[in-house]
Amino acid sequence: PQMDQFFDEPIFDGLYAGTYQVIAQDELGCYVLMDVTVNEPAPVVLAVDNSTLAPELCEGDMNGAFSVDISGGSLPYSVALDNINGPYTTGGAAQTRFDFTNLEGGNHIVYVIDGGGCETEWEIDFPESVSMDPVAVVEYTCDNNMPGNIVTVTVTGNADPADLSYSLNGGPYQTSNVFIDVVPGIGHYVDVMNVNGCTKRTPTFDIDQLDPVAVSLENGGFNEIVAVTTGGSGDYEYTLNGEAYGSTNRFIIYESGDYTVTVTDSNGCTATASGYFEYIDVCISNYFTPNGDGNMDEWGPGCTSQYRDMEFDIYDRYGRKVVTLKVGEKWDGTYNGKELPTGDYWYVVKLNDPKDDRDFVGHFTLYR
């Protein structure tokens, strides 16, 4: 004791474990000596009872459980799971065992506060649960020129693929994750099962009804063939007599003959149609009568709608160029706003088409 330092309150705190001597003295100097021993409590120890350990087998079941036994420290104990901020459960005055239920897989942390306010924490090795997230992917195919499909199930998560089996629409389980030629319809699903019995279902998926691809040929516009396609999986690609036309199903021809169109859908199924189609050549009249009667009032080459870059020049008998016109335009028999007289006029028609680059030269008669 420090004889020159006394306190009015008989409380000494914040002491380490050990033996202390205390003196109490009254105002007359009478005193008494006391020896006091401060004991240090045994450390808190937590042990898992392995016989109570019940892992969550399947992710999402929330049915894992374990129990712990606590010793040391001071009773009563308060415990919390996975959150240092609680909530805490305080045990009875003599309670040393605590049960934890409705747990998910993976390690957990038990936080303990003993009766003296000492805090400690323990990480519990808890098995991971089996996680599976299956998705069915539909791929449309062509087999022997007939539409079909393949459904492949992919699974993400920690499940071992070797431990999985698959059931389509509640049917028998199989070890393969591939289903071939599933019947068309909506709301299909695949159940994926692990060897320990965990089962997870894919989102539902639909199988489209695909008819065999078919094509027929029709006359379209001027010198045009139109391919009419049904069935298949769409996104058609076309060829005409072996020449690729991409997604275009309309074809301009430049000569009479037999034509064959082949269509291929996005799955590789094909269909073919053939037919004879007659080409109509450029039509050039040898006269016109610009008299305002509504009949043959203008002159220009006809049957030329397919020649988008066509142009033609008209000359008088002296070789003077009267006018230059393009496809769809006609000459009204005037020059600089004045009517030209009856007589013969010359023309040069240029088709300017990469597939038909012919020129036509000749004359026609203007009658008034």
Side-chain angles (χ1 to χ4, degrees):
Q2 295 174 269
M3 301 304 293
D4 60 345
Q5 185 178 10
F6 285 82
F7 301 95
D8 293 334
E9 295 292 331
I11 297 173
F12 303 92
D13 56 11
L15 303 178
Y16 290 102
T19 300
Y20 296 86
Q21 190 176 65
V22 179
I23 184 171
Q25 179 176 269
D26 67 8
E27 61 183 3
L28 298 178
C30 295
Y31 67 90
V32 62
L33 288 173
M34 295 169 285
D35 291 324
V36 179
T37 299
V38 176
N39 296 315
E40 180 177 19
V44 173
V45 176
L46 182 147
V48 177
D49 183 350
N50 290 327
S51 67
T52 66
L53 193 149
E56 179 197 45
L57 294 180
C58 308
E59 185 181 58
D61 287 351
M62 299 295 292
N63 58 1
F66 63 83
S67 298
V68 298
D69 293 309
I70 304 176
S71 60
S74 303
L75 293 169
Y77 301 118
S78 297
V79 298
L81 186 67
D82 295 330
N83 189 342
I84 193 172
N85 297 316
Y88 281 83
T89 299
T90 300
Q95 181 179 347
T96 60
R97 169 166 287 216
F98 293 85
D99 302 320
F100 300 94
T101 59
N102 302 321
L103 304 179
E104 63 182 4
N107 290 356
H108 294 277
I109 297 178
V110 177
Y111 297 94
V112 180
I113 301 177
D114 73 357
C118 294
E119 300 180 1
T120 185
E121 63 184 62
W122 300 80
E123 183 171 8
I124 310 301
D125 291 331
F126 200 64
E128 290 282 351
S129 52
V130 174
S131 63
M132 298 184 296
D133 187 15
V135 176
V137 178
V138 180
E139 177 187 2
Y140 292 96
T141 62
C142 183
D143 186 17
N144 291 326
N145 217 33
M146 293 294 293
N149 61 75
I150 297 176
V151 177
T152 303
V153 180
T154 59
V155 181
T156 57
N158 62 13
D160 187 344
D163 294 338
L164 303 180
S165 56
Y166 307 83
S167 166
L168 174 66
N169 298 332
Y173 279 89
Q174 64 181 44
T175 57
S176 173
N177 65 326
V178 176
F179 299 86
I180 298 176
D181 290 340
V182 177
V183 296
I186 61 175
H188 293 286
Y189 62 88
V190 174
D191 287 324
V192 181
M193 183 173 64
N194 179 266
V195 291
N196 61 14
C198 292
T199 303
K200 191 71 177 290
R201 180 168 293 182
T202 66
T204 58
F205 58 93
D206 301 335
I207 300 293
D208 296 334
Q209 172 67 53
L210 298 181
D211 297 321
V213 63
V215 63
S216 61
L217 302 183
E218 299 178 356
N219 284 304
F222 197 78
N223 288 334
E224 183 183 51
I225 301 172
V226 178
V228 179
T229 307
T230 59
S233 56
D235 295 330
Y236 306 120
E237 297 286 330
Y238 297 89
T239 65
L240 176 68
N241 288 353
E243 180 182 353
Y245 275 76
S247 60
T248 299
N249 69 324
R250 294 178 175 271
F251 317 97
I252 300 298
I253 63 173
Y254 294 89
E255 61 180 338
S256 300
D258 292 321
Y259 289 89
T260 298
V261 173
T262 299
V263 58
T264 304
D265 71 5
S266 59
N267 294 329
C269 287
T270 63
T272 300
S274 299
Y276 179 85
F277 291 86
E278 187 172 349
Y279 168 76
I280 300 176
D281 207 349
V282 177
C283 311
I284 300 179
S285 174
N286 58 7
Y287 75 97
F288 79 119
T289 58
N291 54 15
D293 64 355
N295 183 32
M296 300 290 290
D297 286 331
E298 296 178 317
W299 186 94
C303 311
T304 57
S305 59
Q306 71 192 81
Y307 300 103
R308 298 182 180 181
D309 295 323
M310 183 204 75
E311 62 180 13
F312 59 97
D313 300 322
I314 297 176
Y315 301 86
D316 63 14
R317 61 181 178 175
Y318 303 108
R320 177 183 60 180
K321 182 186 292 187
V322 176
V323 69
T324 297
L325 299 174
K326 297 184 179 299
V327 62
E329 297 179 329
K330 301 289 184 179
W331 183 48
D332 61 0
T334 64
Y335 178 70
N336 289 336
K338 295 182 179 180
E339 293 182 349
L340 293 183
T342 297
D344 288 339
Y345 293 83
W346 293 84
Y347 63 82
V348 176
V349 178
K350 297 181 178 181
L351 299 183
N352 295 327
D353 190 296
K355 292 188 176 181
D356 190 353
D357 198 24
R358 291 177 294 164
D359 295 341
F360 296 85
V361 178
H363 62 88
F364 61 95
T365 302
L366 184 158
Y367 291 106
R368 290 195 181 278

